Amino acid sequence: MHWHCHFIQKLEDEPELEFRAMHRELEGLKAGPGESERLQRWQEGQTGWPLVDACMRALQHTGWINFRMRAMLMAVASYQLWLHWRDPALHLARQFTDFEPGIHYPQVQMQSGLTGINALRIYNPVLQSQKLDPDGEFIRRWLPELQGVPVDLIHTPWLMTPAQKNRYGGNTYTLPVCDHEQAARAARKAIGDFRKQHVSHTETERVLQRHGSRKGPVQKRPSVPRKAEGDSDQLSLFD
Ligand SMILES: Cc1cc2nc3c(=O)[nH]c(=O)nc-3n(C[C@H](O)[C@H](O)[C@H](O)COP(=O)(O)OP(=O)(O)OC[C@H]3O[C@@H](n4cnc5c(N)ncnc54)[C@H](O)[C@@H]3O)c2cc1C
């Protein structure tokens, strides 16, 4: 209940968060929203990264997915796929049976690196998959294409040889949209460069004063993102 109210208060304080980046100077980071093949593949659970696709298809089917997987879906859309945050945010909102704009938009902005006061959390979809679904049970449940694929290949089906594909199936599952590691590196660099050029201390301070955690003394935060915490379990819900 505390988290619920904490996040809803952010949107109460600044209703524009539904439409623009929390850190205004990060608004120009990407071209505006718009249809693209990448967006469509993400929405349909056809990115080629099994855990991402399984989560999206589970969400479509049930209307619910847990916190960490919401965060991963949003982060993959924002970083590896380099989509503008608005389209993925609207898509997720339409799927959630518990859609609550007050929680949703601040979370979307946090997971897309648009607050300017949080470290970037770029998830590695393969490491997440190996860690959270080690036997591939969840993946096989939601991706029938990969039913017969053994555990050592289920997280990276694109590495299967033609002979393995003939043996285990998986021919109908899509290849990844891009190399996720390269894409993550490129995203981190693009954001770092943009922040160095366009982000001022004044605006960062405004966001911090308005939305920063009040758990302890307010500390000056770096104007450039710190090391990515893509695979960290330590998801701070408050900052
Ligand atoms: C990108 C993204 C979008 C999200 N969009 C929504 C949304 O539209 N609606 C929504 O209710 N939650 C949203 N969340 C927060 C969170 O994922 C869900 O509230 C949580 O999955 C609900 O799980 P639960 O019912 O088991 O709640 P529990 O974890 O048992 O918590 C009980 C209640 O506390 C509140 N709560 C839990 N986690 C959070 C959180 N991280 N932030 C704020 N309140 C929380 C919810 O009201 C929840 O029903 C979003 C998270 C992310 C990363």
Side-chain angles (χ1 to χ4, degrees):
M1 290 309 292
H2 178 86
W3 289 343
H4 185 107
C5 295
H6 173 86
F7 276 91
I8 287 178
Q9 189 61 49
K10 286 179 191 280
L11 193 67
E12 284 283 331
D13 279 351
E14 201 169 347
E16 306 93 293
L17 290 182
E18 186 177 344
F19 303 103
R20 57 194 291 183
M22 183 181 282
H23 193 294
R24 302 217 172 111
E25 290 162 348
L26 291 172
E27 187 62 35
L29 178 64
K30 293 177 188 168
E35 284 298 315
S36 71
E37 195 201 324
R38 286 181 171 214
L39 174 65
Q40 198 181 340
R41 287 183 59 171
W42 177 83
Q43 290 182 167
E44 290 173 358
Q46 295 283 0
T47 64
W49 299 312
L51 185 65
V52 174
D53 293 341
C55 285
M56 187 59 93
R57 295 195 210 172
L59 173 61
Q60 278 165 355
H61 190 81
T62 65
W64 195 85
I65 194 90
N66 69 22
F67 173 84
R68 193 177 176 89
M69 295 299 94
R70 292 183 200 209
M72 182 189 71
L73 284 174
M74 197 59 221
V76 161
S78 298
Y79 301 123
Q80 280 92 346
L81 300 180
W82 203 246
L83 297 171
H84 188 278
W85 63 278
R86 273 286 292 173
D87 291 315
L90 288 172
H91 177 76
L92 291 180
R94 289 182 192 118
Q95 308 302 313
F96 292 156
T97 49
D98 65 355
F99 172 55
E100 162 50 62
I103 301 175
H104 189 62
Y105 288 107
Q107 277 292 351
V108 159
Q109 299 225 4
M110 279 174 63
Q111 307 304 338
S112 309
L114 296 171
T115 67
I117 61 171
N118 302 107
L120 295 187
R121 294 190 184 113
I122 302 182
Y123 291 79
N124 178 322
V126 174
L127 290 183
Q128 291 295 313
S129 188
Q130 289 165 340
K131 192 167 158 182
L132 302 175
D133 188 24
D135 300 329
E137 201 180 323
F138 180 78
I139 291 172
R140 283 193 202 89
R141 177 162 173 213
W142 295 105
L143 305 184
E145 305 98 301
L146 299 181
Q147 272 303 331
V149 176
V151 69
D152 54 326
L153 292 165
I154 192 99
H155 307 287
T156 51
W158 59 90
L159 296 180
M160 281 198 282
T161 61
Q164 284 171 324
K165 281 193 181 177
N166 282 339
R167 190 159 168 205
Y168 304 126
N171 275 310
T172 53
Y173 185 58
T174 184
L175 289 172
V177 176
C178 59
D179 177 323
H180 69 88
E181 284 176 337
Q182 254 178 30
R185 270 196 301 276
R188 198 174 299 138
K189 181 171 182 324
I191 294 172
D193 291 349
F194 186 91
R195 288 177 63 138
K196 272 185 211 143
Q197 272 195 317
H198 301 283
V199 165
S200 70
H201 178 66
T202 319
E203 173 60 5
T204 306
E205 197 54 32
R206 184 198 66 80
V207 177
L208 197 51
Q209 288 306 321
R210 199 144 189 190
H211 298 288
S213 168
R214 294 288 177 275
K215 272 195 295 186
V218 176
Q219 284 170 2
K220 188 165 174 268
R221 312 249 175 142
S223 62
V224 173
R226 284 164 292 182
K227 154 174 140 14
E229 294 170 355
D231 198 36
S232 163
D233 266 323
Q234 317 229 320
L235 285 186
S236 162
L237 301 178
F238 288 100
D239 21 85

